[in-house]
Amino acid sequence: MRARNYAIPEVDKLQAKLIAGRIIPAIATTTAMATGLVCLELYKVIQDKPVEAYRNTFANLALPLFAMAEPIPPKAFEFNDLRWSLWDRWVLQGDLTVQQVLDWFKQRSLEAYSISCGQALIYNNIFPKHKERLGKRMSELVQTVAKMEIPASRSHFDVVVACEDEEGEDLDVPLVSIQFR
């Protein structure tokens, strides 16, 4: 049925087993290779090696191609006395309101103009209706606006904050985790 559906030449049951028999060892070989390479890199993490010691591996067993390259560190950003990369995460403590989150950024001379969670826009300063949300708790808005269920075992949620500096230039800031419990 599948062969007919995808316009593949039909074969008998024995031929299908022969084809599948070649695929399973290839999957096992590829999985073993990937797992081994990950374990080698894990040793470097445990030994706290610098980023130059790590390797990205591109492997294609069909060619055969096995190429290794040094990963590059993330782009670093600096603003006033702040320094971060996109690998970082800013953690805010407490069940904060939208206004408190905006104030946290304002204290660091950053103008936060938009806060989103998943696909939902929690706050944006260009929408007059969003001014009503300034006094509401972020945890409440994440559940009502973003329709995100937060399990009782979880004490945080992540939001994306869009910021600009004093000149109105956009800045890429890290993901923001709000520890509300």
Side-chain angles (χ1 to χ4, degrees):
M1 295 298 284
R2 185 171 289 156
R4 289 179 187 164
N5 192 38
Y6 294 104
I8 300 170
E10 291 182 36
V11 294
D12 60 14
K13 187 175 181 179
L14 185 63
Q15 185 68 22
K17 281 188 172 186
L18 185 66
I19 294 168
R22 291 187 200 132
I23 293 171
I24 294 180
I27 292 171
T29 304
T30 306
T31 304
M33 180 196 61
T35 305
L37 290 168
V38 167
C39 287
L40 288 174
E41 296 305 307
L42 186 60
Y43 287 133
K44 298 172 190 175
V45 171
I46 292 168
Q47 294 172 354
D48 201 26
K49 298 277 186 181
V51 74
E52 295 82 26
Y54 296 91
R55 296 291 178 264
N56 285 335
T57 304
F58 306 95
N60 186 337
L61 297 177
L63 290 180
L65 171 69
F66 197 78
M68 297 179 115
E70 280 186 32
I72 57 172
K75 182 179 176 187
F77 297 92
E78 279 189 54
F79 179 74
N80 293 342
D81 60 340
L82 296 172
R83 183 172 169 75
W84 71 88
S85 77
L86 291 180
W87 288 0
D88 292 325
R89 180 180 297 242
W90 288 345
V91 179
L92 280 60
Q93 300 291 334
D95 196 8
L96 305 174
T97 64
V98 173
Q99 186 62 58
Q100 289 172 316
V101 173
L102 297 176
D103 292 343
W104 188 89
F105 281 90
K106 185 70 112 180
Q107 290 170 357
R108 287 149 184 83
S109 302
L110 293 167
E111 185 66 37
Y113 60 86
S114 177
I115 303 172
S116 58
C117 182
Q119 301 294 318
L121 188 60
I122 302 295
Y123 172 80
N124 194 307
N125 64 1
I126 63 169
F127 297 122
K129 275 256 194 222
H130 285 197
K131 300 272 188 262
E132 300 167 3
R133 297 179 180 175
L134 289 173
K136 292 190 177 178
R137 302 244 172 253
M138 290 287 295
S139 59
E140 176 190 336
L141 291 171
V142 163
Q143 292 174 11
T144 57
V145 176
K147 308 278 191 261
M148 186 173 117
E149 278 190 42
I150 304 171
S153 61
R154 196 158 162 211
S155 62
H156 78 283
F157 55 87
D158 297 329
V159 294
V160 175
V161 180
C163 293
E164 54 188 30
D165 60 16
E166 297 97 355
E167 289 92 40
E169 292 293 318
D170 279 343
L171 287 172
D172 289 325
V173 297
L175 191 67
V176 176
S177 272
I178 298 181
Q179 295 275 345
F180 68 99
R181 289 187 192 156

